[in-house]
Amino acid sequence: MTADDAQGVREMHERCSPESLRSRYFGPVPRLSDAVIRMFTNPERGITLVTHLAGEPGSVVAMTNLMDLGSGESEVALLVEDRWQGRGLGRVLMRCAVALAPSRRARVITASVYAANTRMLAILEGAGAEKPSMTGLILDVRLPLDSSDVSAGASGGPCR
Ligand SMILES: CC(C)(COP(=O)(O)OP(=O)(O)OC[C@H]1O[C@@H](n2cnc3c(N)ncnc32)[C@H](O)[C@@H]1OP(=O)(O)O)[C@@H](O)C(=O)NCCC(=O)NCCS
């Protein structure tokens, strides 16, 4: 994501249901502030991917954040626009995040997920995440990366 994607990303957020936004941000997000856009586009903080319709860069349908936490950890968060959910996009985007994590020197990907968010939990489990040890409304999930993930990251990664 670059600053040029900001409008498309904001419009995508406006098309998302309150439930999807709550699942992503754990609270109401009326509009992405300039500060948040700057954080998403700051290469020193992490990587943000935007997914758009082929040949239509302004038609954003998903956003993937992989933000550095330090100490070899990066936090992943996905948002797929409602009408594009349930078609396998989230699972592909998680593969992209796993492939990119070594380029951020991450050995572990973490995610905060509502315990009721079965789709996201299925994606994380499918990618090899550990079963969360704690229970509660929001689960902190850890996905340790192995050496094959590291080589996938070095080669650009299987993002398609
Ligand atoms: C969570 C989210 C990223 C998943 O992306 P997606 O493109 O909808 O997910 P996929 O189509 O790749 O499906 C992922 C898994 O959920 C399952 N799934 C699909 N529809 C489902 C449904 N209605 N209920 C439960 N599980 C469902 C799929 O079967 C798939 O598992 P499988 O491959 O083992 O069959 C997306 O729904 C989203 O953006 N939700 C709102 C924001 C959010 O929750 N972000 C996560 C917090 S970080």
Side-chain angles (χ1 to χ4, degrees):
M1 178 177 174
T2 69
D4 290 344
D5 298 308
Q7 189 180 342
V9 166
R10 282 195 169 114
E11 288 171 2
M12 187 268 277
H13 277 68
E14 282 161 15
R15 291 191 299 273
C16 281
S17 65
E19 293 74 28
S20 287
L21 293 176
R22 197 172 68 92
S23 295
R24 166 61 183 84
Y25 296 102
F26 306 101
V29 182
R31 190 167 189 276
L32 290 184
S33 67
D34 290 344
V36 169
I37 294 285
R38 275 197 298 277
M39 182 181 70
F40 287 169
T41 54
N42 182 348
E44 289 177 12
R45 303 289 300 273
I47 298 176
T48 295
L49 304 175
V50 291
T51 305
H52 59 77
L53 302 184
E56 297 179 43
S59 300
V60 176
V61 299
M63 182 183 76
T64 305
N65 301 110
L66 187 68
M67 305 311 288
D68 302 344
L69 298 180
S71 310
E73 295 192 9
S74 291
E75 181 173 48
V76 71
L78 305 182
L79 179 62
V80 177
E81 183 182 335
D82 291 62
R83 62 190 165 133
W84 288 90
Q85 292 177 8
R87 304 183 190 197
L89 196 47
R91 201 169 278 280
V92 170
L93 293 173
M94 178 59 72
R95 279 210 298 274
C96 292
V98 168
L100 288 167
S103 74
R104 306 305 302 181
R105 301 189 181 170
R107 293 182 304 279
V108 177
I109 290 178
T110 66
S112 294
V113 187
Y114 276 122
N117 192 343
T118 48
R119 273 189 196 174
M120 189 64 192
L121 291 171
I123 288 172
L124 286 160
E125 192 182 329
E130 297 167 348
K131 275 224 171 309
S133 52
M134 307 289 280
T135 55
L137 189 63
I138 297 174
L139 303 177
D140 292 319
V141 181
R142 288 175 64 83
L143 195 174
L145 302 174
D146 61 27
S147 50
S148 60
D149 298 323
V150 172
S151 40
S155 66
C159 285
R160 289 176 185 274

